[in-house]
Amino acid sequence: MGLEQFAHDVFDAQPFSQHLGARLTMVGPDSAELTVPITDQLKQQHGYVHGGVISYLADNSITFAGGLALGGNALTSEFKINYLRPAVGSVLVGRSVAKHVGKRQAVCQCEIYAVQDGEETLCAIAQGTVVSARS
């Protein structure tokens, strides 16, 4: 089984991702893209996407990019996020790429976009470290 199929199998086995309606829309040798449809249930009191949903998208896309770069199963060991502007639209897109890959860890960056009427607006940037889950 190739890494792309492995990534899709892992994603499909994540109950929380399924609960949010998230999709793994692109995988590469060191990158990943995930999307989440914006629904009223994912918004906070001002009508913006809740920061926890944006954080989920950053964390999970970083983990997939790092895991693919490391060649298999992986876990996030840490990440930080900067919220740049409120997320409004119909879908969130998280795009991550591994910027440095070592033997046991990968450092990844993620950009989160809110898409409204086909136009993307950058709403958050995150960086994280992903470690191999192999023992």
Side-chain angles (χ1 to χ4, degrees), residues 100-123:
H100 175 78
V101 182
K103 290 181 181 178
R104 292 182 293 265
Q105 71 178 19
V107 176
C108 303
Q109 290 181 333
C110 177
E111 294 180 342
I112 303 289
Y113 295 89
V115 182
Q116 185 166 16
D117 299 324
E119 187 172 323
E120 294 185 351
T121 301
L122 183 65
C123 59

Side-chain angles (χ1 to χ4, degrees), residues 61-132:
S61 65
I62 282 170
T63 304
F64 273 92
L68 289 160
L70 291 167
N73 217 347
L75 301 165
T76 301
S77 69
E78 64 81 28
F79 84 102
K80 117 183 248 326
I81 189 165
N82 290 94
Y83 299 100
L84 306 176
R85 62 182 51 89
V88 226
S90 59
V91 67
L92 284 178
V93 178
R95 294 187 186 109
S96 291
V97 64
K99 295 303 223 173
H100 175 78
V101 182
K103 290 181 181 178
R104 292 182 293 265
Q105 71 178 19
V107 176
C108 303
Q109 290 181 333
C110 177
E111 294 180 342
I112 303 289
Y113 295 89
V115 182
Q116 185 166 16
D117 299 324
E119 187 172 323
E120 294 185 351
T121 301
L122 183 65
C123 59
I125 297 173
Q127 178 172 301
T129 305
V130 176
V131 295
S132 174

